PDB file of all heavy atoms in Angstrom:
ATOM      1  N   GLN A  24     -10.120  20.585  -0.950  1.00  0.00           N
ATOM      2  CA  GLN A  24     -10.498  21.826  -1.620  1.00  0.00           C
ATOM      3  C   GLN A  24     -12.002  21.907  -1.873  1.00  0.00           C
ATOM      4  O   GLN A  24     -12.524  22.972  -2.204  1.00  0.00           O
ATOM      5  CB  GLN A  24      -9.726  21.966  -2.938  1.00  0.00           C
ATOM      6  CG  GLN A  24      -8.225  22.142  -2.753  1.00  0.00           C
ATOM      7  CD  GLN A  24      -7.512  22.439  -4.048  1.00  0.00           C
ATOM      8  OE1 GLN A  24      -7.920  23.292  -4.829  1.00  0.00           O
ATOM      9  NE2 GLN A  24      -6.423  21.717  -4.284  1.00  0.00           N
ATOM     10  N   ARG A  72      -4.714  18.898 -21.003  1.00  0.00           N
ATOM     11  CA  ARG A  72      -3.249  18.865 -21.075  1.00  0.00           C
ATOM     12  C   ARG A  72      -2.747  18.081 -22.287  1.00  0.00           C
ATOM     13  O   ARG A  72      -1.545  18.030 -22.548  1.00  0.00           O
ATOM     14  CB  ARG A  72      -2.677  18.222 -19.803  1.00  0.00           C
ATOM     15  CG  ARG A  72      -2.945  18.957 -18.509  1.00  0.00           C
ATOM     16  CD  ARG A  72      -2.114  18.309 -17.414  1.00  0.00           C
ATOM     17  NE  ARG A  72      -2.588  18.588 -16.080  1.00  0.00           N
ATOM     18  CZ  ARG A  72      -1.938  18.212 -14.969  1.00  0.00           C
ATOM     19  NH1 ARG A  72      -0.805  17.522 -15.080  1.00  0.00           N
ATOM     20  NH2 ARG A  72      -2.412  18.508 -13.779  1.00  0.00           N
ATOM     21  N   THR A  76      -5.463   8.862 -21.514  1.00  0.00           N
ATOM     22  CA  THR A  76      -5.724   8.181 -20.244  1.00  0.00           C
ATOM     23  C   THR A  76      -5.733   6.659 -20.412  1.00  0.00           C
ATOM     24  O   THR A  76      -6.025   5.936 -19.449  1.00  0.00           O
ATOM     25  CB  THR A  76      -7.073   8.644 -19.653  1.00  0.00           C
ATOM     26  OG1 THR A  76      -8.100   8.468 -20.633  1.00  0.00           O
ATOM     27  CG2 THR A  76      -7.007  10.108 -19.244  1.00  0.00           C
ATOM     28  N   ARG A 127     -18.517  -2.830 -10.685  1.00  0.00           N
ATOM     29  CA  ARG A 127     -18.648  -2.566 -12.121  1.00  0.00           C
ATOM     30  C   ARG A 127     -17.277  -2.384 -12.759  1.00  0.00           C
ATOM     31  O   ARG A 127     -17.048  -2.823 -13.893  1.00  0.00           O
ATOM     32  CB  ARG A 127     -19.524  -1.337 -12.349  1.00  0.00           C
ATOM     33  CG  ARG A 127     -19.925  -1.171 -13.820  1.00  0.00           C
ATOM     34  CD  ARG A 127     -20.838   0.017 -14.045  1.00  0.00           C
ATOM     35  NE  ARG A 127     -22.094  -0.104 -13.335  1.00  0.00           N
ATOM     36  CZ  ARG A 127     -23.078   0.790 -13.422  1.00  0.00           C
ATOM     37  NH1 ARG A 127     -22.920   1.882 -14.174  1.00  0.00           N
ATOM     38  NH2 ARG A 127     -24.198   0.615 -12.744  1.00  0.00           N
ATOM     39  N   ARG A 159     -29.048  10.709   9.664  1.00  0.00           N
ATOM     40  CA  ARG A 159     -29.064  12.027  10.296  1.00  0.00           C
ATOM     41  C   ARG A 159     -27.686  12.662  10.194  1.00  0.00           C
ATOM     42  O   ARG A 159     -26.684  11.979   9.971  1.00  0.00           O
ATOM     43  CB  ARG A 159     -29.494  11.938  11.752  1.00  0.00           C
ATOM     44  CG  ARG A 159     -28.510  11.281  12.709  1.00  0.00           C
ATOM     45  CD  ARG A 159     -29.003  11.485  14.136  1.00  0.00           C
ATOM     46  NE  ARG A 159     -28.115  10.974  15.180  1.00  0.00           N
ATOM     47  CZ  ARG A 159     -27.082  11.648  15.677  1.00  0.00           C
ATOM     48  NH1 ARG A 159     -26.742  12.822  15.175  1.00  0.00           N
ATOM     49  NH2 ARG A 159     -26.356  11.134  16.653  1.00  0.00           N
ATOM     50  N   LEU A 164     -21.289  20.534  18.273  1.00  0.00           N
ATOM     51  CA  LEU A 164     -21.744  21.600  19.164  1.00  0.00           C
ATOM     52  C   LEU A 164     -20.572  22.510  19.492  1.00  0.00           C
ATOM     53  O   LEU A 164     -19.567  22.080  20.056  1.00  0.00           O
ATOM     54  CB  LEU A 164     -22.341  20.989  20.433  1.00  0.00           C
ATOM     55  CG  LEU A 164     -23.128  21.888  21.371  1.00  0.00           C
ATOM     56  CD1 LEU A 164     -24.065  21.062  22.243  1.00  0.00           C
ATOM     57  CD2 LEU A 164     -22.203  22.712  22.268  1.00  0.00           C
ATOM     58  N   ASN A 178     -23.560  40.010  33.893  1.00  0.00           N
ATOM     59  CA  ASN A 178     -24.525  40.917  33.248  1.00  0.00           C
ATOM     60  C   ASN A 178     -24.903  40.467  31.835  1.00  0.00           C
ATOM     61  O   ASN A 178     -25.616  41.181  31.125  1.00  0.00           O
ATOM     62  CB  ASN A 178     -23.970  42.344  33.212  1.00  0.00           C
ATOM     63  CG  ASN A 178     -22.677  42.442  32.386  1.00  0.00           C
ATOM     64  OD1 ASN A 178     -22.282  41.514  31.689  1.00  0.00           O
ATOM     65  ND2 ASN A 178     -22.002  43.591  32.496  1.00  0.00           N
ATOM     66  N   GLN A 180     -22.794  39.927  29.266  1.00  0.00           N
ATOM     67  CA  GLN A 180     -21.848  40.276  28.209  1.00  0.00           C
ATOM     68  C   GLN A 180     -20.957  39.078  27.868  1.00  0.00           C
ATOM     69  O   GLN A 180     -20.363  38.461  28.751  1.00  0.00           O
ATOM     70  CB  GLN A 180     -20.968  41.456  28.642  1.00  0.00           C
ATOM     71  CG  GLN A 180     -20.005  41.923  27.563  1.00  0.00           C
ATOM     72  CD  GLN A 180     -19.127  43.076  28.026  1.00  0.00           C
ATOM     73  OE1 GLN A 180     -19.427  43.728  29.024  1.00  0.00           O
ATOM     74  NE2 GLN A 180     -18.047  43.320  27.320  1.00  0.00           N
ATOM     75  N   SER A 181     -20.860  38.751  26.573  1.00  0.00           N
ATOM     76  CA  SER A 181     -20.040  37.609  26.154  1.00  0.00           C
ATOM     77  C   SER A 181     -19.203  37.913  24.919  1.00  0.00           C
ATOM     78  O   SER A 181     -18.454  37.045  24.460  1.00  0.00           O
ATOM     79  CB  SER A 181     -20.939  36.399  25.864  1.00  0.00           C
ATOM     80  OG  SER A 181     -21.819  36.689  24.788  1.00  0.00           O
ATOM     81  N   PRO A 228     -24.211  28.076   4.635  1.00  0.00           N
ATOM     82  CA  PRO A 228     -25.035  27.027   5.254  1.00  0.00           C
ATOM     83  C   PRO A 228     -26.435  27.547   5.544  1.00  0.00           C
ATOM     84  O   PRO A 228     -26.649  28.753   5.669  1.00  0.00           O
ATOM     85  CB  PRO A 228     -24.288  26.708   6.552  1.00  0.00           C
ATOM     86  CG  PRO A 228     -23.559  27.984   6.882  1.00  0.00           C
ATOM     87  CD  PRO A 228     -23.186  28.594   5.556  1.00  0.00           C
ATOM     88  N   ALA A 244     -32.803  38.725  11.807  1.00  0.00           N
ATOM     89  CA  ALA A 244     -31.660  38.728  10.887  1.00  0.00           C
ATOM     90  C   ALA A 244     -31.423  37.361  10.269  1.00  0.00           C
ATOM     91  O   ALA A 244     -30.952  37.253   9.139  1.00  0.00           O
ATOM     92  CB  ALA A 244     -30.407  39.190  11.628  1.00  0.00           C
ATOM     93  N   GLY A 249     -29.019  35.233   3.740  1.00  0.00           N
ATOM     94  CA  GLY A 249     -28.526  34.825   2.431  1.00  0.00           C
ATOM     95  C   GLY A 249     -28.703  33.364   2.099  1.00  0.00           C
ATOM     96  O   GLY A 249     -28.278  32.900   1.044  1.00  0.00           O
ATOM     97  N   LEU A 267     -43.751  34.087   8.408  1.00  0.00           N
ATOM     98  CA  LEU A 267     -42.372  33.625   8.269  1.00  0.00           C
ATOM     99  C   LEU A 267     -42.105  33.095   6.861  1.00  0.00           C
ATOM    100  O   LEU A 267     -41.043  33.338   6.280  1.00  0.00           O
ATOM    101  CB  LEU A 267     -42.078  32.547   9.316  1.00  0.00           C
ATOM    102  CG  LEU A 267     -42.049  33.043  10.766  1.00  0.00           C
ATOM    103  CD1 LEU A 267     -42.051  31.881  11.736  1.00  0.00           C
ATOM    104  CD2 LEU A 267     -40.836  33.938  10.997  1.00  0.00           C
ATOM    105  N   ASP A 292     -35.182  14.657   9.795  1.00  0.00           N
ATOM    106  CA  ASP A 292     -35.711  15.478   8.706  1.00  0.00           C
ATOM    107  C   ASP A 292     -34.587  16.244   8.007  1.00  0.00           C
ATOM    108  O   ASP A 292     -34.565  16.338   6.773  1.00  0.00           O
ATOM    109  CB  ASP A 292     -36.754  16.448   9.249  1.00  0.00           C
ATOM    110  CG  ASP A 292     -37.439  17.242   8.151  1.00  0.00           C
ATOM    111  OD1 ASP A 292     -38.265  16.663   7.426  1.00  0.00           O
ATOM    112  OD2 ASP A 292     -37.127  18.436   7.997  1.00  0.00           O
ATOM    113  N   THR A 335     -21.656  33.742  34.000  1.00  0.00           N
ATOM    114  CA  THR A 335     -22.579  32.676  33.609  1.00  0.00           C
ATOM    115  C   THR A 335     -21.779  31.421  33.310  1.00  0.00           C
ATOM    116  O   THR A 335     -20.838  31.444  32.520  1.00  0.00           O
ATOM    117  CB  THR A 335     -23.375  33.090  32.359  1.00  0.00           C
ATOM    118  OG1 THR A 335     -24.102  34.272  32.664  1.00  0.00           O
ATOM    119  CG2 THR A 335     -24.327  31.988  31.936  1.00  0.00           C
ATOM    120  N   VAL A 358      -6.334  18.985  20.052  1.00  0.00           N
ATOM    121  CA  VAL A 358      -6.187  20.187  20.880  1.00  0.00           C
ATOM    122  C   VAL A 358      -5.210  21.095  20.140  1.00  0.00           C
ATOM    123  O   VAL A 358      -4.053  20.729  19.935  1.00  0.00           O
ATOM    124  CB  VAL A 358      -5.667  19.857  22.285  1.00  0.00           C
ATOM    125  CG1 VAL A 358      -5.501  21.131  23.101  1.00  0.00           C
ATOM    126  CG2 VAL A 358      -6.605  18.882  22.984  1.00  0.00           C
ATOM    127  N   ILE A 371     -17.970  12.447  21.553  1.00  0.00           N
ATOM    128  CA  ILE A 371     -18.720  11.649  22.514  1.00  0.00           C
ATOM    129  C   ILE A 371     -18.315  10.199  22.369  1.00  0.00           C
ATOM    130  O   ILE A 371     -18.333   9.640  21.265  1.00  0.00           O
ATOM    131  CB  ILE A 371     -20.231  11.789  22.285  1.00  0.00           C
ATOM    132  CG1 ILE A 371     -20.661  13.269  22.267  1.00  0.00           C
ATOM    133  CG2 ILE A 371     -21.011  10.997  23.325  1.00  0.00           C
ATOM    134  CD1 ILE A 371     -20.517  13.980  23.572  1.00  0.00           C
TER     135      ILE A 371
END
Side-chain angles (χ1 to χ4, degrees):
Q24 294 187 48
R72 297 189 200 186
T76 54
R127 191 178 298 183
R159 70 171 183 85
L164 192 158
N178 62 10
Q180 183 181 343
S181 63
L267 292 168
D292 185 73
T335 300
V358 179
I371 307 293

